[in-house]
Amino acid sequence: MKIYCIAEFGSFPNGLLDRLNAIASNSDDVEVIAGIIDADENVSDHGAPDSSKNDLNDSAKYTLDQRESLLSSLKSVASVVNPSPSVLTESFLKDQKIDAVYHLVPSDSIPNQTVCVCEDHHDSKKRFAVPTTLDIFHTIGFDTGTQAYEEPGWDKVWETKGKVNEQSNTRLLTGYDETDFEPQQFAERWEKAIQWKEGETVLDVGCGAGF
């Protein structure tokens, strides 16, 4: 069963990560596809992006590429669509073989029938018209924790990276992913620099993840 989980994914609170894990682990045959809503795109009357409605862009903490990278690293997510189509058409749902569409939204927005905090209700109805008609659309809430916007900062970036990635992948956790850095070669150069001798013990104190 393929479930299309669509959201802005502008940040990754624990409630959102827990919800994705719960959806993915609901059954052995569940495959989660994450669709990233581009905050710069709002649906026009013709179903195309409306660039005139981009005043909500500041709400995104991560770029689209950063969001895709974080989502791709999650065990609960099989694949990522970046960005998600402005309108989920029947052909898109068939091509992706999607069985259900889950719109992930902050829980406190559901009582007011606000299906997405990043777009108005009119745009949301157009975006999800087809899956709603097919009776495969569901709104799923998640706990956002604190509501105050905080600048990401490096401490938040590293904390989030540790939470959403496999903790045994020290290359990724220490920021050397997508680089050609080789720790063995660096260690050999460092041994020469400090004139290390066989049998000596060196204590390396730092803030890395052990890579």
Side-chain angles (χ1 to χ4, degrees), residues 3 11 56 66 68 82 85 94 103 107 114 129 136 164 175 184 189 195-196 204 210:
I3 299 178
S11 61
L56 294 166
Q66 288 173 328
E68 180 179 1
N82 177 29
K94 286 183 177 180
H103 188 198
S107 297
T114 306
I136 62 171
V164 304
Q184 184 61 39
R189 292 197 303 270
Q195 298 181 350
W196 178 81
D204 180 19

Side-chain angles (χ1 to χ4, degrees), residues 33 59 62 70 84 92 106 136 146 148 171 182:
I33 304 174
S59 66
Y62 298 99
L70 285 168
S84 179
F92 171 78
I136 62 171
T146 177
R171 173 181 283 274
E182 291 298 334

Side-chain angles (χ1 to χ4, degrees), residues 51-119:
S51 59
S52 65
K53 299 179 181 179
N54 59 3
D55 57 326
L56 294 166
N57 186 39
D58 292 339
S59 66
K61 296 183 181 181
Y62 298 99
T63 65
L64 289 176
D65 288 342
Q66 288 173 328
R67 283 177 263 177
E68 180 179 1
S69 178
L70 285 168
L71 285 167
S72 298
S73 68
L74 296 177
K75 289 183 177 180
S76 57
V77 176
S79 60
V80 181
V81 177
N82 177 29
S84 179
S86 299
V87 174
L88 301 186
T89 63
E90 189 169 357
S91 61
F92 171 78
L93 297 175
K94 286 183 177 180
D95 289 344
Q96 297 288 333
K97 299 180 181 179
I98 294 171
D99 299 295
V101 175
Y102 287 4
H103 188 198
L104 305 181
V105 300
S107 297
D108 55 8
S109 71
I110 295 178
N112 297 322
Q113 299 300 313
T114 306
V115 293
C116 182
V117 295
C118 65
E119 59 187 343

Side-chain angles (χ1 to χ4, degrees), residues 34-46:
I36 303 174
I37 294 176
D38 185 354
D40 288 339
E41 286 189 356
N42 284 271
V43 185
S44 71
D45 289 337
H46 301 290

